[in-house]
Amino acid sequence: MARFTLPRDLYHGKGALENLKNLVGKKAIIVVGGGSMKRFGFLDRAVSYLQEAGMEVKLFEGVEPDPSVETVMKGAAVMREFEPDWIISMGGGSPIDAAKAMWAFYEYPETTFEDLITPFNFPTLRTKAKFCAIPSTSGTATEVTAFSVITDYSKGIKYPLADFNITPDVAIVDPDLAETMPKKLTAHTGMDAMTHAIEAYVSTMNCDYTDPLALHAIKMIHEYLIPSFQGDMKAREKMHNAQCLAGMAFSNALLGIVHSMAHKTGAAYSGGHIVHGCANAMYLPKVIKYNSKDAVAASRYADIARFIHLKGETTEELVDALIAELRSMNQALEIPACIKDYEGGIIDEAEFNAKLKDVAALAIGDACTGSNPRQPSQEEMEKLLTACYYDQEIDF
């Protein structure tokens, strides 16, 4: 038996933000990030719509990229004081992920962060509030997923929190918000979405309900991401839908070791963070080559290649064509091929190698590893990470 869970309502299309005025409640808190939603007027519009619905509105602003445990706890404390019956989060994946975790600590103050790290171990939510998510980026799809990623900076580890309880009640997918994304963010979030769809399709948890969502998302991202990156706003609208479809797929089929590696390398090095979507983009071709040693996974990668009309006669040729196409997309999107080249080389080679063993062990233990089609040993994970640092070929 398997489970397939999505938000109860998903409003989509230009102007969908207006559906906030149809929510029923007394108090709403809006959780946002660094200010783009305010600068472009979307925050004021959201407040106005909620007030039109008869709600008292409070703001929690300033959620940082890669939100911290400390930010989550601060937000939960504000919620406990204000007592909202709707939690609204708008912006990129970071404020929405943070708000999901705040929700748990608002309703269950005695819960610890360690309790939530265990996958599918959240307490029953909706005892005090419902949740509405409004994405402004086209990648994380956290508006439709059972996942949240929170960083413990004291340990230098990103933790993926997973539980169907944190799937939002309402998602509002309005492409007007995505039009404000800068080019680099468009590239990184778009390849995050591509990774979601590909990993969902080859996951050991894939099923008849997730496969069509994953394949159609891959097709749309392949067609529309580069034009979106180049400023085509019709393509930007299509990408906003595509990333949401990818999210529906991976929230139910789960992910794989591309995400395990991205989670555990993202905050591990003193030189700076490796942006999540960029990490996924760099690691995905290497992981596909590694996973293709598994015959079932190779067959499914070949399915993807055929679906987007890549050339190849044999399974191996089709897998290689898919890898080449993804590398070509990365190049067009100005994404580096490897960690060594990331942001001009901010990840020090000596530090990377010194931390390799520990980072590899953490990646193996990541919540996303269990549904990967091939289970890596410690030695294999170290080799994979090394290949991703130096852009080496995979043959193991």
Side-chain angles (χ1 to χ4, degrees):
M1 187 185 77
R3 177 174 175 174
F4 187 88
T5 300
L6 297 174
R8 185 184 187 281
D9 293 304
L10 190 152
Y11 300 98
H12 58 94
K14 293 178 78 66
L17 186 64
E18 190 174 355
N19 285 283
L20 283 174
K21 66 184 183 183
N22 297 322
L23 299 184
V24 177
K26 295 179 180 179
K27 291 183 176 183
I29 187 167
I30 304 180
V31 179
V32 292
S36 64
M37 292 297 93
K38 178 180 284 188
R39 287 195 306 276
F40 293 108
F42 295 114
L43 182 57
D44 285 344
R45 284 171 54 189
V47 170
S48 178
Y49 290 142
L50 291 166
Q51 289 174 337
E52 191 174 340
M55 291 197 221
E56 180 184 352
V57 181
K58 188 173 185 65
L59 304 181
F60 184 89
E61 302 179 76
V63 175
E64 73 274 40
D66 302 312
S68 65
V69 177
E70 290 77 14
T71 295
V72 168
M73 296 306 181
K74 287 177 188 174
V78 172
M79 290 178 186
R80 288 194 293 271
E81 182 179 347
F82 182 60
E83 297 184 334
D85 45 18
W86 274 100
I87 299 168
I88 317 287
S89 189
M90 62 191 304
S94 294
I96 298 174
D97 280 5
K100 286 179 174 180
M102 292 172 191
W103 188 16
F105 293 112
Y106 164 45
E107 298 205 359
Y108 295 90
E110 71 283 0
T111 296
T112 68
F113 188 67
E114 287 67 31
D115 292 334
L116 304 186
I117 292 171
T118 304
F120 301 95
N121 192 49
F122 272 65
T124 299
L125 298 179
R126 297 168 181 82
T127 62
K128 296 179 181 177
K130 292 182 179 179
F131 194 99
C132 173
I134 309 164
S136 66
T137 60
S138 302
T140 70
T142 188
E143 73 275 6
V144 293
T145 74
F147 297 93
S148 165
V149 180
I150 305 298
T151 303
D152 185 334
Y153 285 92
S154 67
K155 297 179 180 177
I157 297 174
K158 289 185 178 183
Y159 289 103
L161 310 181
D163 198 286
F164 288 115
N165 266 289
I166 57 173
T167 304
D169 298 280
V170 175
I172 297 177
V173 184
D174 188 333
D176 286 344
L177 280 69
E179 289 183 359
T180 66
M181 286 193 298
K183 284 186 70 173
K184 183 177 281 191
L185 186 60
T186 300
H188 292 171
T189 56
M191 287 307 292
D192 190 20
M194 179 65 94
T195 306
H196 290 156
I198 291 175
E199 289 207 297
Y201 190 72
V202 301
S203 161
T204 58
M205 299 291 288
N206 75 77
C207 68
D208 290 340
Y209 294 85
T210 59
D211 282 353
L213 292 165
L215 283 174
H216 192 60
I218 291 165
K219 181 180 180 181
M220 290 181 72
I221 296 164
H222 182 244
E223 181 175 355
Y224 293 113
L225 176 53
I226 292 173
S228 175
F229 174 73
Q230 294 169 339
D232 182 331
M233 289 303 154
K234 187 61 181 177
R236 187 74 55 91
E237 180 176 355
K238 291 290 191 179
M239 275 300 304
H240 212 43
N241 291 335
Q243 65 86 30
C244 189
L245 297 174
M248 293 178 186
F250 93 78
S251 186
N252 292 280
L254 306 182
L255 292 164
I257 59 172
V258 178
H259 272 77
S260 302
M261 294 159 64
H263 290 151
K264 297 316 187 248
T265 56
Y269 309 110
S270 59
H273 278 65
I274 303 176
V275 173
H276 177 73
C278 187
N280 282 336
M282 292 189 294
Y283 307 164
L284 180 59
K286 304 298 185 191
V287 170
I288 289 175
K289 190 67 174 179
Y290 170 78
N291 282 342
S292 68
K293 299 293 184 181
D294 176 271
V296 174
S299 175
R300 293 182 75 80
Y301 288 130
D303 289 344
I304 293 170
R306 291 188 196 96
F307 196 72
I308 59 174
H309 307 297
L310 301 181
K311 296 191 186 317
E313 296 296 326
T314 66
T315 295
E316 185 176 2
E317 288 173 353
L318 287 162
V319 171
D320 287 342
L322 177 60
I323 292 169
E325 184 68 7
L326 291 168
R327 288 178 68 98
S328 176
M329 288 182 69
N330 283 345
Q331 188 172 19
L333 296 165
E334 300 173 8
I335 291 172
C338 61
I339 300 171
K340 188 175 182 180
D341 295 338
Y342 177 73
E343 293 293 322
I346 65 170
I347 308 302
D348 180 72
E349 182 176 6
E351 183 183 12
F352 175 85
N353 286 311
K355 293 182 173 179
L356 178 60
K357 184 175 181 179
D358 289 342
V359 171
L362 288 168
I364 290 171
D366 188 89
C368 295
T369 299
S371 47
N372 194 69
R374 189 178 172 195
Q375 291 299 298
S377 65
Q378 175 72 23
E379 181 184 7
E380 287 172 338
M381 181 57 79
E382 290 180 21
K383 285 183 178 179
L384 259 176
L385 287 164
T386 300
C388 290
Y389 187 87
Y390 295 105
D391 193 19
Q392 296 171 344
E393 289 298 313
I394 297 288
D395 189 26
F396 54 87

